[in-house]
Amino acid sequence: MQHNEPDRLSAAQLAAMRRSLTSGRGALTRRSLLRASGAGALTLGGLASLSACGIPPAKRGGEDAAASEDRSQAEKTVNFSNWTEYMDVSDDEKVHPTLEEFTKRTGIEVNYTEDINDNVEFFGKIRPQLAAGQDTGRDLIVVTDWLAARIIRLGWAQKLDPSHLPHAFANLIPQYRSPDWDPGRAYSYPWTGINTVIAYNTKATGGRKVDSVTQMLDDPTLKGRVGFLSEMRDSVGMTLLDQGKSPESFTTADYDAAIARLQKGVDSKQIRRFTGNDYTADLDKGDLAACLAWAGDVIQLQADNPDIQYAIPAAGYITSSDNLLVPARARHKANAEKLIDFYYEPPIAAQLAAFISYVCPVAGVKDDLAKIDPALADNPLIIPDEEMAARAHAFRMLTSEEETEYEEKFAKLIGA
C-alpha cells in the first residue's frame, strides 16, 4: 500500500491520543461526572484509521473544492452529529428544547445524533468518505480544535458564508475569534470552550490558596500531593506561561525548559502523578491537594464539595474549544449555517450554557443566563469576565514533526 495522505500520525502522536481518549480530555464527561465512565471508549479501529495507508486527501481546487450541491431550499432538514450530553434536554429527556425552537422558527427539521464519543473514533468513521470526496451524511459536526485543524488542513471542511452568520460574527467573544488553525473563523465556530485552571482542596491545603504552577512545584507543604495532566498541551502550556513564555509562539528551547521544570518536580517527588480525568476523585478526597483541572469538572465538583476551589494564575491559563464544522460535500450547508447562527443568539446560548456548564463562546448571554440560574451567570468559568478573558492563551498549532518530537519528550517525562 502507498502512504499518500499528508500528516500521517507517528507512534508518539497515537500514544498521546490513547492517553487522551482513555483518561484525558477526550474522555471528559459532557455533563455528568457519574456518566464519564460510559463515554469516550477507545477503539483500535479508530486509531488505526488515523495512520492507515491508502486514501489520498480530497483535491484542493479552490474554495468550492469541498462544496456540493446545496439542497437546503428544497430539503428543509439538517443532519447534526454531536457528543453525548452536549445539548440541552427536557426534564423527561424526550426532546431538546433549543432544537425544537429552531425547527418551530425555521421549519427546518434537525436530525440530531449523539454519535461522537471521541475525536479519533469519529474521524475514523467519516475519514474514508471525506477522502473519497463523498457526502458523510452529516451537515454539521462538533470536533475538538486539533481535529478541526486537521480536517480544515486536508480540505475536508466547507468554507462558511458570513452572510448566513450575522449573530455568530457579531457575538463570538474575542478570545476565540482567530485561532491560528482557522484565522478569522472562515471554516468553524466554537460550540464551547474548555479551560485549564488550578483546582485545590482547602481541607487538604489547610485553608491556603494555590494559585500558580510555581507554588505547585515548589511549596514543600504540597509535596507528594500535586497533580498535573497527562495532556501535553495543558501541562506544558501552563508551565510555559508560568515561566513567562507564550504558548502561542514558544520555541523548542522554551518547550525543553518547561519539560525540565516538570522533570524536576517528578524527581523531587513534588508531583504525585500525571492524571487524566481521574484526578477528580483524588481531589475530592484530598489525596491531591492541588492539581491542574478542566473548568467543567470544577463546576460539577463544587456542587457537591464546598472545599473544592479554583484559581486562575496571574500568568494565565490554557484554553481550547470544541468546534462546529460543515464537512465537505454536505448537502444542507445553508441550513447548517442557520443552525450555527441560531446558537449564537444570546437567549439560545444561555439555555445551552445552563445545561452543559462549559465556557460559553457567545457574548451578551449573562442577563439571559441569570434568568435561568444567577449563580451560573456570575461564574467566570462559564462566562469569562474581562480579567479572565485577558489571561486566556491557546497552545499554538504544531507541525507534524514538532508534535512527534514534543509528544515523545512528554511521554518520557510522565513515564507513558
Side-chain angles (χ1 to χ4, degrees), residues 134 149 244 262 407 414:
Q134 299 171 353
L262 291 167
E407 287 289 5
I414 68 176

Side-chain angles (χ1 to χ4, degrees), residues 254-325:
D254 297 331
Y255 183 90
D256 289 344
I259 290 289
R261 181 79 171 98
L262 291 167
Q263 185 66 58
K264 183 179 177 181
V266 172
D267 295 342
S268 68
K269 302 190 185 305
Q270 180 78 6
I271 297 175
R272 182 185 184 96
R273 64 191 183 103
F274 289 83
T275 72
N277 65 344
D278 53 329
Y279 68 82
T280 55
D282 285 347
L283 181 64
D284 190 45
K285 291 184 295 184
D287 291 342
L288 283 175
C291 63
L292 296 187
W294 292 300
D297 286 346
V298 173
I299 294 171
Q300 294 172 48
L301 282 169
Q302 287 180 321
D304 296 318
N305 187 344
D307 295 324
I308 304 300
Q309 300 296 320
Y310 73 92
I312 306 299
Y317 64 96
I318 293 294
T319 189
S320 59
S321 58
D322 283 340
N323 306 275
L324 295 153
L325 291 176

Side-chain angles (χ1 to χ4, degrees), residues 336-369:
E337 290 166 336
K338 288 180 181 179
L339 187 56
I340 294 172
D341 199 58
F342 174 76
Y343 278 101
Y344 273 79
E345 296 179 19
I348 302 302
Q351 290 183 58
L352 181 66
F355 186 85
I356 64 177
S357 299
Y358 278 78
V359 181
C360 181
V362 182
V365 302
K366 188 166 185 174
D367 289 345
D368 290 293
L369 188 54

Side-chain angles (χ1 to χ4, degrees), residues 77-94:
T77 187
V78 60
N79 301 311
F80 184 11
S81 284
N82 203 350
W83 297 74
T84 58
E85 303 294 325
Y86 227 16
M87 178 67 74
D88 60 302
V89 66
S90 61
D91 291 340
D92 60 8
E93 299 189 355
K94 291 184 178 180

Side-chain angles (χ1 to χ4, degrees), residues 32-346:
S32 171
L33 290 173
L34 297 176
R35 301 185 187 183
S37 61
L42 174 65
T43 64
L44 294 177
L47 280 169
S49 73
L50 283 171
S51 60
C53 53
I55 306 174
K59 183 178 179 182
R60 291 178 181 268
E63 291 184 7
D64 296 329
S68 183
E69 177 189 356
D70 194 342
R71 303 181 183 181
S72 294
Q73 279 293 104
E75 300 173 6
K76 295 296 185 180
T77 187
V78 60
N79 301 311
F80 184 11
S81 284
N82 203 350
W83 297 74
T84 58
E85 303 294 325
Y86 227 16
M87 178 67 74
D88 60 302
V89 66
S90 61
D91 291 340
D92 60 8
E93 299 189 355
K94 291 184 178 180
V95 299
H96 300 289
T98 56
L99 292 178
E100 293 279 305
E101 172 62 24
F102 175 77
T103 298
K104 181 179 178 181
R105 189 189 303 182
T106 66
I108 298 170
E109 293 287 340
V110 182
N111 298 318
Y112 184 72
T113 308
E114 294 182 336
D115 61 345
I116 306 179
N117 287 319
D118 65 58
N119 287 288
V120 174
E121 180 187 39
F122 182 67
F123 188 56
K125 189 185 300 184
I126 64 174
R127 175 185 173 276
Q129 294 160 300
L130 290 171
Q134 299 171 353
D135 175 24
T136 66
R138 299 166 177 85
D139 303 305
L140 194 61
I141 61 175
V142 178
V143 293
T144 305
D145 45 16
W146 68 265
L147 181 54
R150 185 175 177 81
I151 290 172
I152 292 168
R153 184 167 62 243
L154 290 170
W156 294 346
Q158 295 197 48
K159 194 169 186 178
L160 301 174
D161 185 343
S163 70
H164 294 165
L165 299 161
H167 294 99
F169 182 81
N171 294 333
L172 177 60
I173 63 177
Q175 73 183 70
Y176 295 116
R177 279 199 174 271
S178 195
D180 58 3
W181 48 269
D182 187 16
R185 291 288 180 180
Y187 293 90
S188 69
Y189 270 90
W191 180 247
T192 57
I194 304 169
N195 291 342
T196 304
V197 300
I198 293 175
Y200 58 98
N201 185 318
T202 56
K203 185 176 289 186
T205 65
R208 289 178 300 109
K209 183 177 184 179
V210 181
D211 60 4
S212 72
V213 169
T214 290
Q215 185 180 359
M216 292 173 68
L217 291 173
D218 293 346
D219 186 340
T221 68
L222 300 176
K223 186 173 182 178
R225 299 185 298 149
V226 168
F228 279 75
L229 292 165
S230 57
E231 295 274 356
M232 180 269 286
R233 286 168 175 80
D234 294 300
S235 286
V236 174
M238 293 291 280
T239 305
L240 283 166
L241 285 167
D242 191 70
Q243 294 179 311
K245 303 299 181 180
S246 170
E248 293 91 345
S249 59
F250 67 89
T251 65
T252 295
D254 297 331
Y255 183 90
D256 289 344
I259 290 289
R261 181 79 171 98
L262 291 167
Q263 185 66 58
K264 183 179 177 181
V266 172
D267 295 342
S268 68
K269 302 190 185 305
Q270 180 78 6
I271 297 175
R272 182 185 184 96
R273 64 191 183 103
F274 289 83
T275 72
N277 65 344
D278 53 329
Y279 68 82
T280 55
D282 285 347
L283 181 64
D284 190 45
K285 291 184 295 184
D287 291 342
L288 283 175
C291 63
L292 296 187
W294 292 300
D297 286 346
V298 173
I299 294 171
Q300 294 172 48
L301 282 169
Q302 287 180 321
D304 296 318
N305 187 344
D307 295 324
I308 304 300
Q309 300 296 320
Y310 73 92
I312 306 299
Y317 64 96
I318 293 294
T319 189
S320 59
S321 58
D322 283 340
N323 306 275
L324 295 153
L325 291 176
V326 177
R329 305 299 176 186
R331 299 183 180 186
H332 307 103
K333 176 173 175 282
N335 291 344
E337 290 166 336
K338 288 180 181 179
L339 187 56
I340 294 172
D341 199 58
F342 174 76
Y343 278 101
Y344 273 79
E345 296 179 19

